Amino acid sequence: SSTTTEPAETTTTVALPEPPPLAWSPCGGGLDCATLTVPVDYLDPAGGTLELALVRRAAGDPSRRIGTLVVNPGGPGASATARVRRGFRISDEVAARFDIVGLDPRGVGDSAPMACGASVPAFRAADLDPDDPVEHAALEAAARAVAEECRATEGARLEHLGTREVVLDLEVARRALGEERVTFVGLSYGTLIGLLWAEAYPGSVRAMVLDGVIDPRATGDVLGTDQVEAMEATFEAMEATCASDPGCPLTARGRGLADAYDEVAAALEAGAGQAAGVGPTQLVHAVFAASYGQERWPQLWSAVASALDGRYGPLAEQAGWYTSLVAYPPFALVSCLDAEHPQGYDSWREAADEAAERSRRFGRTLANELLPCAFWPDATRGPVEVDAVGAGPTLLVSSTGDVATPVEQAAGVAAMLADRRLLLVDAHGHVAIDSSPCVDDAVTRFLVHPPAAPAEQRC
């Protein structure tokens, strides 16, 4: 049976430094920038520091300013400063009434980013669904190389880049902002940061919007068994939609998505896509890319149809979009530090085989996405209950057809939180803010007057 690491205790009794006020300075595009100095290890404040990057877009109408809104766009590994630079606003009303601040988590973006990554392309090129000893050996070697490269570049801070520290950094940032309570918007993995922060420091939370919700009790599932089932359901929906759409290029050929996919998978397994840099892993990644929004499904149908004709460029493009969403090293490392996981290749392989029993096409690849975890430090937090008593209201936003953060997770969190509202969005895709006026209007109304929001809404 697989051996798992024992997660360390999550503690909120850590003594936080009292930071000086942030020194903002203009940095182009109407934005201000600042840095925040925090300890690498809060339990050893003298043992080295990190510089965290913040970007602020000041409220457009200072006379109606409500306060500061801190955003985290998820990942793990997505840059919050980049998201603010790109114009994150939700609505004109939110941009007018809040200072919108992006704080890059430690190891991410401009906050002392992880320096490793040279070994990642070789890992991405390996077959994450190995079916013979040669493929298993190649995959193990590639994953081990990623783990060892990051250990070499990051040194002692490697085990201090997880969400446990990010939550403490967020609270230090709140103090440096000089505001008693701030508003937080977390997308995807950012929802976990928000929930853990509200649990540890409820008095700091004016209100939160959490979109694409992660249940903090489910984060022991580093192998993504929830996601496996959601991916299967979404693939079935992709197939049914193609079958009923005369414009689907597979329908025009009398083919279904699933059987065309399996034919392409067999050709790639035999090496057909090598010249284009496309193997079995890239085919699965193309499906993962399509799962991020129903508007992406036709691109998958078209890419699979092209691959039937031996043209693999479109599949490569879709897979590349998926792998470019976040930098891999922080994505993988934070996921590993946040959940107990099998140690060593053989234990991990057993768990991946279990995922494959739930989904023949996607299970092993989903599980092996995080295979470097098998060779990295132990988890620094475990699953935790969150009720956030004393925090301001939280609006949970969830798309009913979300693969990355299935709607069941939002339901689980809704049942735990002391003061919550729920917005269900009838759509396939991951994260609903910016996807429809209905969602953006509901989120805006909540942010401006949190207590007035209805208990449940639907878009």
Side-chain angles (χ1 to χ4, degrees):
S1 74
S2 59
T3 55
T4 56
T5 61
E6 284 301 311
E9 283 301 301
T10 303
T11 174
T12 55
T13 55
V14 177
L16 297 183
E18 282 304 327
L22 292 169
W24 294 103
S25 57
C27 53
L31 301 169
D32 304 309
C33 293
T35 55
L36 176 68
T37 304
V38 294
V40 171
D41 179 356
Y42 279 92
L43 299 178
D44 179 19
T49 58
L50 295 170
E51 298 286 311
L52 306 185
L54 298 97
V55 167
R56 175 180 72 183
R57 186 180 299 279
D61 184 352
S63 67
R64 296 168 64 230
R65 180 182 177 279
I66 291 170
T68 294
L69 184 159
V70 177
V71 61
N72 182 282
S79 165
T81 60
R83 191 64 179 260
V84 172
R85 286 181 195 282
R86 289 203 307 269
F88 181 84
R89 58 195 287 113
I90 301 172
S91 67
D92 291 346
E93 174 86 351
V94 171
R97 306 196 64 179
F98 289 91
D99 292 347
I100 297 178
V101 171
L103 165 66
D104 279 344
R106 48 176 63 209
V108 170
D110 292 328
S111 291
M114 292 179 72
C116 53
S119 53
V120 170
F123 172 66
R124 293 282 203 195
D127 188 345
L128 295 187
D129 186 358
D131 47 25
D132 63 47
V134 174
E135 287 182 352
H136 274 288
L139 178 59
E140 178 178 4
R144 199 181 282 276
V146 172
E148 287 173 0
E149 184 204 352
C150 292
R151 205 181 272 279
T153 64
E154 306 311 307
R157 75 174 193 157
L158 187 71
E159 61 195 84
H160 296 293
L161 297 175
T163 306
R164 180 178 64 169
E165 285 83 3
V166 172
V167 167
L168 300 175
D169 294 342
L170 176 56
E171 177 59 17
V172 174
R174 197 270 310 161
R175 296 177 184 190
L177 282 161
E179 297 204 30
E180 207 167 301
R181 289 190 160 213
V182 301
T183 302
F184 181 82
V185 174
L187 311 179
S188 190
Y189 160 73
T191 66
L192 181 64
I193 297 172
L195 287 165
L196 297 176
W197 173 61
E199 182 69 8
Y201 302 102
S204 300
V205 182
R206 172 188 169 267
M208 295 198 300
V209 174
L210 306 180
D211 181 1
V213 184
I214 292 176
D215 187 335
R217 294 168 302 184
T219 50
D221 177 25
V222 76
L223 293 137
T225 42
D226 277 1
Q227 288 185 335
V228 170
E229 278 150 19
M231 189 68 250
E232 275 292 313
T234 294
F235 188 70
E236 284 171 22
M238 290 173 185
E239 178 172 46
T241 306
C242 169
S244 64
D245 183 346
C248 177
L250 296 167
T251 309
R253 302 166 68 141
R255 302 295 298 271
L257 175 61
D259 74 37
Y261 176 98
D262 291 343
E263 183 180 322
V264 171
L268 293 175
E269 191 64 54
Q274 276 175 348
V278 174
T281 298
Q282 284 65 47
L283 175 61
V284 175
H285 282 170
V287 179
F288 291 175
S291 78
Y292 274 71
Q294 199 163 343
E295 72 284 355
R296 302 189 64 85
W297 294 5
Q299 293 163 276
L300 175 69
W301 303 334
S302 175
V304 171
S306 295
L308 287 173
D309 296 331
R311 290 181 287 113
Y312 296 103
L315 277 180
E317 205 175 298
Q318 296 299 306
W321 180 87
Y322 171 73
T323 55
S324 70
L325 284 172
V326 289
Y328 181 79
F331 165 75
L333 180 70
V334 174
S335 300
C336 300
L337 291 175
D338 268 7
E340 49 185 86
H341 48 76
Q343 292 284 33
Y345 187 74
D346 292 341
S347 294
W348 195 279
R349 181 176 169 178
E350 281 183 33
D353 287 346
E354 287 171 26
E357 285 171 22
R358 292 165 179 247
S359 169
R360 170 177 65 82
R361 294 184 183 94
F362 310 116
R364 253 191 214 93
T365 301
L366 262 175
N368 285 329
E369 289 260 87
L370 291 173
L371 182 57
C373 290
F375 314 106
W376 260 335
D378 291 355
T380 52
R381 18 168 264 103
V384 61
E385 295 263 344
V386 169
D387 56 23
V389 170
T394 294
L395 175 66
L396 303 169
V397 184
S398 183
S399 298
T400 53
D402 187 344
V403 169
T405 52
V407 66
E408 291 77 14
Q409 299 215 27
V413 172
M416 273 195 294
L417 285 182
D419 187 359
R420 60 80 179 167
R421 316 287 190 272
L422 185 62
L423 171 59
L424 289 175
V425 184
D426 291 313
H428 286 279
H430 180 48
V431 177
I433 287 173
D434 282 346
S435 73
S436 87
C438 175
V439 173
D440 294 348
D441 290 350
V443 168
T444 297
R445 286 194 303 272
F446 173 82
L447 287 170
V448 172
H449 299 295
E456 299 210 1
Q457 302 173 73
R458 206 159 191 122
C459 281

